[in-house]
Amino acid sequence: RVSDSYDVPPEVIKGRSRCMEHYLPRAAYCYWARKLTAKSWAQISRQIGRDHRTAMYGARVYLERAKQLKDDRALSCMLAVTK
């Protein structure tokens, strides 16, 4: 779970906070939910109480950040699962 990888409670991913500490786990959730499931952006965004464009943007930002930071905890964890 992304919340476990970032050491935040699942409520943070669905929360309204915009601080980076909470934004990154939410963006990671959007990315991995889209990558590992057949859910649409609308379905993913409803799960976190956001607009589908916000979920799409978050996933894109997460992917860009993960490429820059190869040691990202959630990325490392999820890549191990998908291999």
Side-chain angles (χ1 to χ4, degrees), residues 15-44:
R16 301 301 303 167
S17 174
R18 292 185 179 188
C19 73
M20 192 58 70
E21 183 177 295
H22 298 156
Y23 171 75
L24 290 176
R26 190 176 303 121
Y29 172 82
C30 293
Y31 174 80
W32 289 108
R34 181 66 176 184
K35 179 109 174 138
L36 299 175
T37 70
K39 293 181 181 179
S40 68
W41 287 116
Q43 292 170 315
I44 294 167

Side-chain angles (χ1 to χ4, degrees), residues 25-77:
R26 190 176 303 121
Y29 172 82
C30 293
Y31 174 80
W32 289 108
R34 181 66 176 184
K35 179 109 174 138
L36 299 175
T37 70
K39 293 181 181 179
S40 68
W41 287 116
Q43 292 170 315
I44 294 167
S45 64
R46 275 195 298 272
Q47 289 181 322
I48 60 169
R50 299 289 196 287
D51 183 84
H52 76 280
R53 292 169 296 184
T54 304
M56 291 170 65
Y57 177 75
R60 188 172 70 238
V61 167
Y62 171 76
L63 183 58
E64 290 170 7
R65 181 180 177 276
K67 285 179 181 177
Q68 292 172 353
L69 301 174
K70 302 277 188 211
D71 62 342
D72 186 283
R73 291 177 293 178
L75 179 64
S76 298
C77 177

